[in-house]
Amino acid sequence: MDLDSHIRRIPDFPKPGILFYDISTLLHNAAAWAAAVERMSGLVADWKPDLVAGIESRGFLFAAPVSIALGTGMVMVRKVGKLPGTVVSHSYDLEYGSDTLQVSDGLVPRGARVVLIDDLIATGGTARATVQLLQKIGAEVAGAAFLIELDGLGGAARMGVEVRRALTYPA
Ligand code: AMP
């Protein structure tokens, strides 16, 4: 399956100069979507995770079916204020300001092997913060996988864990 042909390019979104890789068209095509999930599952299977972590929100789309395919549970890593109950937070710097990610307290046992999944890695800021949050709660982050890596931004090198991707595009 040629996954690339199902990813739509939207120039100047969300701001001028950004070429947005839109997975809506991939999700919309039954065969392409199934192939993408199979590809992502294949990328992470040999890491033998206990849990698959998805980053809000497009990361959830991939993490959920991959966790079912691998027979693991799934963990939601969310933006601040979305998770009920006791949470663990991690703040990280953005180009302008900062942001915070949260995970529910007590759902990831210390020492659990966790694999992180998101749709796309650009600078790697969000994914790196997620790795740090998971490590903070005692998880062993086995690796991170993305459908798309934007090359040349140094995102993968910044992660501190092994990174795998299905597709690579120029930034
Ligand atoms: P970053 O923290 O810089 O790696 O940004 C990662 C997040 O921003 C990913 O979860 C993507 O969903 C989104 N993103 C950044 N750049 C793009 C792009 N060119 N096309 C689509 N999504 C993007």
Side-chain angles (χ1 to χ4, degrees), residues 118-161:
D118 204 357
D119 65 327
L120 183 146
I121 179 170
T123 65
T126 319
R128 181 164 175 265
T130 304
V131 169
Q132 290 170 342
L133 171 59
L134 292 167
Q135 288 171 340
K136 192 160 152 181
I137 58 174
E140 183 198 331
V141 182
F146 304 87
L147 182 72
I148 298 167
E149 176 187 16
L150 298 191
D151 205 14
L153 297 176
R158 202 168 283 134
M159 291 289 296
V161 297

Side-chain angles (χ1 to χ4, degrees), residues 97-117:
S98 69
D99 215 341
T100 301
L101 293 171
Q102 296 184 322
V103 67
S104 294
D105 194 20
L107 288 184
V108 179
R110 293 194 78 78
R113 276 177 76 76
V114 180
V115 158
L116 170 64
I117 292 197

Side-chain angles (χ1 to χ4, degrees), residues 13-14 18-22 55-59 92 94 118-128 146 148 150 153 155:
F13 182 86
I18 306 247
L19 179 61
F20 192 84
Y21 293 96
D22 183 22
I55 307 178
E56 181 177 1
S57 58
R58 287 186 296 271
Y92 60 106
L94 297 171
D118 204 357
D119 65 327
L120 183 146
I121 179 170
T123 65
T126 319
R128 181 164 175 265
F146 304 87
I148 298 167
L150 298 191
L153 297 176

Side-chain angles (χ1 to χ4, degrees), residues 7 31 47 68 105 143-144:
I7 294 166
W47 281 332
I68 292 170
D105 194 20

Side-chain angles (χ1 to χ4, degrees), residues 40-62:
M40 295 295 283
S41 303
L43 278 184
V44 304
D46 73 331
W47 281 332
K48 300 194 176 358
D50 301 310
L51 290 164
V52 173
I55 307 178
E56 181 177 1
S57 58
R58 287 186 296 271
F60 291 172
L61 295 168
F62 291 92

